[in-house]
Amino acid sequence: MPENDTLDKIDLDIKNCTLCLLCSTRKHTVPGEGGFLKKLMIIGEAPGYHEDQSGRPFIGAAGKILRNTLSKNDIKINDVFITNIIKCRPPNNRPPFINEKKICIQYLERQILLLQPKIICLLGNVVSSYLLGIKSITNERGRILHKNELKYFVTYHPAATIYNRNLLNIFEQDIKKLAEYLL
Ligand code: URA
């Protein structure tokens, strides 16, 4: 991490980043946003269309589910930091390539080092498998996991719950547990 790193410096480095081809198709970089009162960091996969248009994470349909579920559990959106492993939208919302993840992870690592979260919530398989090596989140979700002196909590990606009531119920239960942990 650069000396005296700040969120503004990280945002600027992301904004100027040309380390992978996503820089040529993005409209905006999406570094992440929020506050840190709850010491909770939430990490998704990559920006989608709406995020790319606005430069803000989780503002489309999946974001609505995430934001509603947090709010039902008295977690103010401005008190948590929300970001993604990839800071630019992959064209047509394809899953990020491995080289894109390898290159982009440096920004997430700086964000984590700087913010020192009490817990990091990972949304969905892509993120959980990349950061924790989890093959399927079904067995690992809904509890605290430890790696490299950091605490993680894995749950489904809210996009997976859009047409699946059952997954939505589980997602809501998981976020409730996470909220209780943060009390
Ligand atoms: N899905 C994600 O994983 N991240 C976003 O920012 C939006 C949708």
Side-chain angles (χ1 to χ4, degrees):
M1 163 160 106
E3 233 175 279
N4 304 320
D5 212 5
T6 64
L7 280 180
D8 284 346
K9 276 191 202 168
I10 301 171
D11 287 5
L12 191 65
D13 288 348
I14 294 170
K15 203 172 176 181
N16 293 328
C17 183
T18 54
L19 293 175
C20 85
L21 284 178
L22 295 182
C23 68
S24 59
T25 49
R26 73 184 175 217
K27 178 161 184 197
H28 290 107
T29 52
V30 184
E33 67 180 31
F36 218 55
L37 199 67
K38 285 282 180 188
K39 292 210 159 276
L40 167 64
M41 189 161 188
I42 298 179
I43 305 177
E45 183 177 325
Y49 172 80
H50 296 286
E51 292 78 20
D52 178 59
Q53 291 293 309
S54 63
R56 300 186 54 211
F58 279 99
I59 56 152
K64 197 166 168 198
I65 295 173
L66 175 65
R67 287 160 189 270
N68 280 346
T69 312
L70 290 171
S71 141
K72 271 191 211 163
N73 287 287
D74 290 329
I75 298 182
K76 291 198 187 78
I77 199 69
N78 292 335
D79 292 343
V80 304
F81 191 81
I82 303 184
T83 187
N84 289 294
I85 36 177
I86 298 286
K87 312 301 191 191
C88 300
R89 180 191 183 214
N92 303 316
N93 297 346
R94 65 158 168 75
F97 293 146
I98 186 74
N99 75 308
E100 293 163 350
K101 288 186 268 197
K102 276 190 183 155
I103 290 168
C104 209
I105 196 73
Q106 59 183 292
Y107 300 120
L108 182 63
E109 285 170 352
R110 282 170 66 188
Q111 289 170 326
I112 293 174
L113 264 175
L114 184 68
L115 296 173
Q116 299 279 324
K118 179 174 171 187
I119 188 149
I120 299 174
C121 176
L122 305 181
L123 301 175
N125 271 316
V126 170
V127 191
S128 311
S129 116
Y130 190 67
L131 291 180
L132 298 183
I134 287 173
K135 300 250 174 344
S136 155
I137 55 176
T138 313
N139 298 327
E140 308 284 354
R141 47 145 284 277
R143 62 195 174 88
I144 312 289
L145 305 167
H146 298 259
K147 186 177 177 190
N148 297 338
E149 291 169 31
L150 288 170
K151 286 190 187 126
Y152 293 88
F153 185 94
V154 169
T155 188
Y156 293 111
H157 193 291
T161 72
I162 292 177
Y163 299 110
N164 188 327
R165 236 302 120 196
N166 188 31
L167 286 194
L168 179 62
N169 286 339
I170 299 173
F171 176 75
E172 288 180 341
Q173 283 166 27
D174 284 351
I175 298 295
K176 186 163 181 267
K177 253 194 224 169
L178 182 62
E180 283 161 6
Y181 176 80
L182 290 167
L183 281 179

